[in-house]
Amino acid sequence: WDPVVIAGGRCGCGRTAANCEIWSRVIEGADAHEAARLQRQVVREQNLLKNFLRVGRENAPDVGAFAQVMGGVYAGLAATTGARVIVDSSKRPSYGAFLRSVPGISVRYVHLVRDPRASAHSWKQRRHESATPGAEVTRRNAFDSTLRWDLLNVEAEILRGSLESEDFTRLRYEDFVLAPLETTVGLAAFAGQAVEPTPFESK
C-alpha cells in the first residue's frame, strides 16, 4: 500500500496498480490510504515482538483491521489468478509475524539470506525503484548496511523460534545461484506443490 499503491507505483506489467489487469480487481473498493496507515502502524520493525503478543487480541484494533484488509488481498489474488500459492516477497520479519493473524491463509516462511559483503556492496550502488518511477533506492554505507543486515536476520531468527519447524526454511542466495532448478523444486515441495514443467532448461 505504501508506497506503491498510494504513490502510483507500477506493477511488473508496467501499469499502475489501479490500471493493472490483476491488481485493479484485487484492490477495487479498498481505502488505499487507510490501508497504508494501518500498514505503517502495524508493520514497523519495532513492532516485531508486539505482533507476536497481539495476534488475535481484541485490544489491537489496527492489527485486526489490517489483517482483514490483507486477508481480502490474498483471497482476491487467489480468485483472480487461480493460483494455489501466492509468493509474497515482503522482507520485514515484523510483517511475517503479523501474517499469523491474517484469516484464511496458511503461511510458509522462506528466510532468504545473502552474503553480508555482497549485501553491503549492493546497498552502496545507485539504483532506481522498480515500482516508483524516478525514485531511487536509499543508498547505505558499509556500517549502516551491516547493522541493518544484522538486525533483520536476528529478527528472522526470533520469528523462526516461534514457528513449527515445517513452516520455516532458510535459503542462501548463493546456493540458489549455484542450483536454481534444484532450489526451486525444493521450495515448491516446501509449499506442498510440484513444479512441472519447470521454467529452467537445465540445472
Side-chain angles (χ1 to χ4, degrees), residues 113-131:
V113 184
R114 190 176 187 184
D115 185 296
R117 296 164 297 181
S119 180
H121 176 75
S122 178
W123 276 113
K124 290 173 61 178
Q125 308 308 307
R126 184 177 181 179
R127 295 173 293 164
H128 291 281
E129 289 276 9
S130 59

Side-chain angles (χ1 to χ4, degrees), residues 2 10 17 19 23 59 110 115 122 133 139 163 168 179 186 194 198 203:
D2 181 13
R10 298 186 181 277
N19 293 309
W23 282 110
N59 62 347
V110 179
D115 185 296
S122 178
R139 283 185 281 178
L163 301 169
F168 187 100
T198 75
K203 294 185 179 182

